[in-house]
Amino acid sequence: MKVFIASDHAGFELKEAIKQHFSSQYEWVDFGTHSSESVDYPDFAHPLAEAVSKDPAARAILICGTGNGVAMTANKHANVRAALCWDREIAALARQHNNANVLVMPARFILPETAFDLVETFFSTDFEGGRHERRVEKINLR
Ligand code: RB5
């Protein structure tokens, strides 16, 4: 299974840890950054979000210090629903209710073990549809 992933410098170490932890399960498409040198998060979140926008069924992960910068950036793109998640229930609900297609995590506020759990939860939880379908449809501006 192919997964898009990107981070800024604050998320770099966690991005690498996630890639390593799931190396036998996922084929990573890494949009950078590739070191802990300071960078601007939109330079990495925009290219990933553009790829998801063209392929909304894609699986994707974005990481920065708080998660907010990359989430705000990604959610500018049509068909992208990037959800900031820091515990398992929020990650599950982001899939069940919001059909989120980008898992966003705050590297400076969660442990790597929590991040691994969020990745597993997010990618193994299905959208519930039903009443949530109508609400998700209304997110897009026409
Ligand atoms: C970088 O210092 C930090 O501002 C960034 O990772 C992120 O938290 C922004 O939202």
mmCIF file of all heavy atoms in Angstrom, residues 54-80:
data_model
loop_
_atom_site.group_PDB
_atom_site.id
_atom_site.type_symbol
_atom_site.label_atom_id
_atom_site.label_comp_id
_atom_site.label_asym_id
_atom_site.label_seq_id
_atom_site.Cartn_x
_atom_site.Cartn_y
_atom_site.Cartn_z
ATOM 1 N N LYS A 54 -5.560 15.285 -6.378
ATOM 2 C CA LYS A 54 -5.729 14.584 -7.662
ATOM 3 C C LYS A 54 -6.142 13.138 -7.458
ATOM 4 O O LYS A 54 -6.612 12.480 -8.379
ATOM 5 C CB LYS A 54 -4.412 14.619 -8.442
ATOM 6 C CG LYS A 54 -4.087 15.996 -8.994
ATOM 7 C CD LYS A 54 -2.771 15.958 -9.764
ATOM 8 C CE LYS A 54 -2.322 17.349 -10.138
ATOM 9 N NZ LYS A 54 -0.870 17.483 -10.196
ATOM 10 N N ASP A 55 -5.906 12.609 -6.265
ATOM 11 C CA ASP A 55 -6.178 11.199 -5.964
ATOM 12 C C ASP A 55 -6.734 11.107 -4.538
ATOM 13 O O ASP A 55 -6.054 10.689 -3.612
ATOM 14 C CB ASP A 55 -4.857 10.415 -6.089
ATOM 15 C CG ASP A 55 -5.026 8.939 -5.769
ATOM 16 O OD1 ASP A 55 -6.176 8.467 -5.657
ATOM 17 O OD2 ASP A 55 -3.998 8.254 -5.623
ATOM 18 N N PRO A 56 -8.025 11.538 -4.357
ATOM 19 C CA PRO A 56 -8.588 11.651 -3.003
ATOM 20 C C PRO A 56 -8.656 10.339 -2.226
ATOM 21 O O PRO A 56 -8.804 10.360 -1.012
ATOM 22 C CB PRO A 56 -9.998 12.203 -3.250
ATOM 23 C CG PRO A 56 -9.970 12.774 -4.616
ATOM 24 C CD PRO A 56 -8.953 11.980 -5.389
ATOM 25 N N ALA A 57 -8.522 9.198 -2.917
ATOM 26 C CA ALA A 57 -8.526 7.920 -2.209
ATOM 27 C C ALA A 57 -7.136 7.557 -1.690
ATOM 28 O O ALA A 57 -6.952 6.541 -1.021
ATOM 29 C CB ALA A 57 -9.044 6.822 -3.119
ATOM 30 N N ALA A 58 -6.164 8.390 -2.001
ATOM 31 C CA ALA A 58 -4.795 8.137 -1.543
ATOM 32 C C ALA A 58 -4.728 8.194 -0.031
ATOM 33 O O ALA A 58 -5.605 8.780 0.622
ATOM 34 C CB ALA A 58 -3.851 9.181 -2.135
ATOM 35 N N ARG A 59 -3.718 7.584 0.537
ATOM 36 C CA ARG A 59 -3.481 7.664 1.981
ATOM 37 C C ARG A 59 -2.319 8.610 2.194
ATOM 38 O O ARG A 59 -1.334 8.564 1.458
ATOM 39 C CB ARG A 59 -3.131 6.283 2.527
ATOM 40 C CG ARG A 59 -4.309 5.356 2.497
ATOM 41 C CD ARG A 59 -3.887 3.917 2.670
ATOM 42 N NE ARG A 59 -5.049 3.060 2.544
ATOM 43 C CZ ARG A 59 -5.697 2.548 3.575
ATOM 44 N NH1 ARG A 59 -5.308 2.799 4.800
ATOM 45 N NH2 ARG A 59 -6.747 1.772 3.385
ATOM 46 N N ALA A 60 -2.424 9.456 3.221
ATOM 47 C CA ALA A 60 -1.392 10.479 3.388
ATOM 48 C C ALA A 60 -1.228 10.901 4.847
ATOM 49 O O ALA A 60 -2.189 10.872 5.629
ATOM 50 C CB ALA A 60 -1.744 11.693 2.534
ATOM 51 N N ILE A 61 -0.009 11.319 5.161
ATOM 52 C CA ILE A 61 0.338 11.765 6.516
ATOM 53 C C ILE A 61 1.120 13.070 6.415
ATOM 54 O O ILE A 61 2.033 13.188 5.590
ATOM 55 C CB ILE A 61 1.229 10.709 7.223
ATOM 56 C CG1 ILE A 61 0.476 9.394 7.399
ATOM 57 C CG2 ILE A 61 1.728 11.238 8.571
ATOM 58 C CD1 ILE A 61 1.352 8.247 7.922
ATOM 59 N N LEU A 62 0.753 14.043 7.249
ATOM 60 C CA LEU A 62 1.496 15.302 7.358
ATOM 61 C C LEU A 62 1.871 15.525 8.819
ATOM 62 O O LEU A 62 1.053 15.272 9.718
ATOM 63 C CB LEU A 62 0.643 16.480 6.884
ATOM 64 C CG LEU A 62 0.581 16.746 5.386
ATOM 65 C CD1 LEU A 62 -0.461 17.826 5.083
ATOM 66 C CD2 LEU A 62 1.951 17.149 4.831
ATOM 67 N N ILE A 63 3.075 16.038 9.042
ATOM 68 C CA ILE A 63 3.554 16.266 10.416
ATOM 69 C C ILE A 63 4.287 17.607 10.484
ATOM 70 O O ILE A 63 5.112 17.917 9.614
ATOM 71 C CB ILE A 63 4.545 15.153 10.839
ATOM 72 C CG1 ILE A 63 3.960 13.757 10.597
ATOM 73 C CG2 ILE A 63 4.939 15.326 12.301
ATOM 74 C CD1 ILE A 63 4.998 12.642 10.659
ATOM 75 N N CYS A 64 3.960 18.403 11.506
ATOM 76 C CA CYS A 64 4.805 19.543 11.858
ATOM 77 C C CYS A 64 4.801 19.628 13.381
ATOM 78 O O CYS A 64 4.357 18.691 14.047
ATOM 79 C CB CYS A 64 4.369 20.826 11.155
ATOM 80 S SG CYS A 64 2.793 21.539 11.672
ATOM 81 N N GLY A 65 5.295 20.723 13.937
ATOM 82 C CA GLY A 65 5.415 20.809 15.391
ATOM 83 C C GLY A 65 4.081 20.671 16.091
ATOM 84 O O GLY A 65 3.896 19.833 16.971
ATOM 85 N N THR A 66 3.115 21.491 15.699
ATOM 86 C CA THR A 66 1.774 21.450 16.295
ATOM 87 C C THR A 66 0.770 20.703 15.430
ATOM 88 O O THR A 66 -0.326 20.375 15.889
ATOM 89 C CB THR A 66 1.208 22.876 16.456
ATOM 90 O OG1 THR A 66 1.113 23.457 15.146
ATOM 91 C CG2 THR A 66 2.089 23.730 17.354
ATOM 92 N N GLY A 67 1.084 20.539 14.161
ATOM 93 C CA GLY A 67 0.143 19.972 13.192
ATOM 94 C C GLY A 67 -0.721 21.029 12.530
ATOM 95 O O GLY A 67 -1.244 20.815 11.436
ATOM 96 N N ASN A 68 -0.844 22.173 13.170
ATOM 97 C CA ASN A 68 -1.758 23.180 12.630
ATOM 98 C C ASN A 68 -1.290 23.780 11.301
ATOM 99 O O ASN A 68 -2.103 23.986 10.393
ATOM 100 C CB ASN A 68 -1.963 24.305 13.650
ATOM 101 C CG ASN A 68 -3.063 23.966 14.632
ATOM 102 O OD1 ASN A 68 -4.066 23.358 14.270
ATOM 103 N ND2 ASN A 68 -2.881 24.357 15.884
ATOM 104 N N GLY A 69 -0.015 24.083 11.192
ATOM 105 C CA GLY A 69 0.477 24.722 9.960
ATOM 106 C C GLY A 69 0.241 23.858 8.733
ATOM 107 O O GLY A 69 -0.285 24.329 7.712
ATOM 108 N N VAL A 70 0.606 22.569 8.836
ATOM 109 C CA VAL A 70 0.431 21.695 7.663
ATOM 110 C C VAL A 70 -1.052 21.412 7.407
ATOM 111 O O VAL A 70 -1.467 21.278 6.253
ATOM 112 C CB VAL A 70 1.249 20.385 7.771
ATOM 113 C CG1 VAL A 70 2.739 20.660 7.654
ATOM 114 C CG2 VAL A 70 0.926 19.612 9.050
ATOM 115 N N ALA A 71 -1.862 21.338 8.472
ATOM 116 C CA ALA A 71 -3.306 21.099 8.279
ATOM 117 C C ALA A 71 -3.948 22.290 7.566
ATOM 118 O O ALA A 71 -4.720 22.113 6.613
ATOM 119 C CB ALA A 71 -3.991 20.850 9.624
ATOM 120 N N MET A 72 -3.632 23.490 8.017
ATOM 121 C CA MET A 72 -4.200 24.690 7.385
ATOM 122 C C MET A 72 -3.808 24.761 5.915
ATOM 123 O O MET A 72 -4.626 25.112 5.056
ATOM 124 C CB MET A 72 -3.698 25.944 8.108
ATOM 125 C CG MET A 72 -4.293 26.123 9.477
ATOM 126 S SD MET A 72 -3.548 27.569 10.282
ATOM 127 C CE MET A 72 -4.265 27.416 11.912
ATOM 128 N N THR A 73 -2.563 24.428 5.630
ATOM 129 C CA THR A 73 -2.064 24.460 4.250
ATOM 130 C C THR A 73 -2.782 23.422 3.393
ATOM 131 O O THR A 73 -3.302 23.732 2.310
ATOM 132 C CB THR A 73 -0.544 24.194 4.232
ATOM 133 O OG1 THR A 73 0.101 25.116 5.105
ATOM 134 C CG2 THR A 73 0.021 24.324 2.827
ATOM 135 N N ALA A 74 -2.827 22.199 3.871
ATOM 136 C CA ALA A 74 -3.408 21.107 3.082
ATOM 137 C C ALA A 74 -4.888 21.337 2.818
ATOM 138 O O ALA A 74 -5.393 21.038 1.723
ATOM 139 C CB ALA A 74 -3.202 19.778 3.808
ATOM 140 N N ASN A 75 -5.589 21.897 3.798
ATOM 141 C CA ASN A 75 -7.037 22.071 3.648
ATOM 142 C C ASN A 75 -7.426 23.197 2.691
ATOM 143 O O ASN A 75 -8.619 23.406 2.438
ATOM 144 C CB ASN A 75 -7.688 22.239 5.021
ATOM 145 C CG ASN A 75 -7.853 20.889 5.717
ATOM 146 O OD1 ASN A 75 -8.158 19.893 5.071
ATOM 147 N ND2 ASN A 75 -7.622 20.859 7.017
ATOM 148 N N LYS A 76 -6.444 23.896 2.142
ATOM 149 C CA LYS A 76 -6.720 24.865 1.065
ATOM 150 C C LYS A 76 -7.020 24.149 -0.255
ATOM 151 O O LYS A 76 -7.530 24.749 -1.197
ATOM 152 C CB LYS A 76 -5.511 25.790 0.838
ATOM 153 C CG LYS A 76 -5.198 26.725 1.992
ATOM 154 C CD LYS A 76 -6.200 27.848 2.035
ATOM 155 C CE LYS A 76 -5.893 28.809 3.172
ATOM 156 N NZ LYS A 76 -7.000 29.755 3.356
ATOM 157 N N HIS A 77 -6.641 22.870 -0.348
ATOM 158 C CA HIS A 77 -6.763 22.136 -1.614
ATOM 159 C C HIS A 77 -8.101 21.403 -1.696
ATOM 160 O O HIS A 77 -8.541 20.783 -0.718
ATOM 161 C CB HIS A 77 -5.621 21.119 -1.734
ATOM 162 C CG HIS A 77 -4.277 21.743 -1.869
ATOM 163 N ND1 HIS A 77 -3.579 21.763 -3.049
ATOM 164 C CD2 HIS A 77 -3.502 22.412 -0.972
ATOM 165 C CE1 HIS A 77 -2.420 22.390 -2.883
ATOM 166 N NE2 HIS A 77 -2.352 22.793 -1.620
ATOM 167 N N ALA A 78 -8.722 21.478 -2.873
ATOM 168 C CA ALA A 78 -10.005 20.789 -3.094
ATOM 169 C C ALA A 78 -9.834 19.298 -2.837
ATOM 170 O O ALA A 78 -8.790 18.713 -3.167
ATOM 171 C CB ALA A 78 -10.473 21.023 -4.519
ATOM 172 N N ASN A 79 -10.862 18.689 -2.258
ATOM 173 C CA ASN A 79 -10.911 17.246 -1.994
ATOM 174 C C ASN A 79 -9.949 16.771 -0.911
ATOM 175 O O ASN A 79 -9.814 15.569 -0.698
ATOM 176 C CB ASN A 79 -10.647 16.412 -3.269
ATOM 177 C CG ASN A 79 -11.579 16.782 -4.385
ATOM 178 O OD1 ASN A 79 -12.773 16.956 -4.149
ATOM 179 N ND2 ASN A 79 -11.058 16.913 -5.586
ATOM 180 N N VAL A 80 -9.254 17.709 -0.275
ATOM 181 C CA VAL A 80 -8.361 17.314 0.816
ATOM 182 C C VAL A 80 -9.067 17.566 2.138
ATOM 183 O O VAL A 80 -9.598 18.646 2.380
ATOM 184 C CB VAL A 80 -7.025 18.094 0.758
ATOM 185 C CG1 VAL A 80 -6.193 17.830 2.012
ATOM 186 C CG2 VAL A 80 -6.244 17.703 -0.489
#
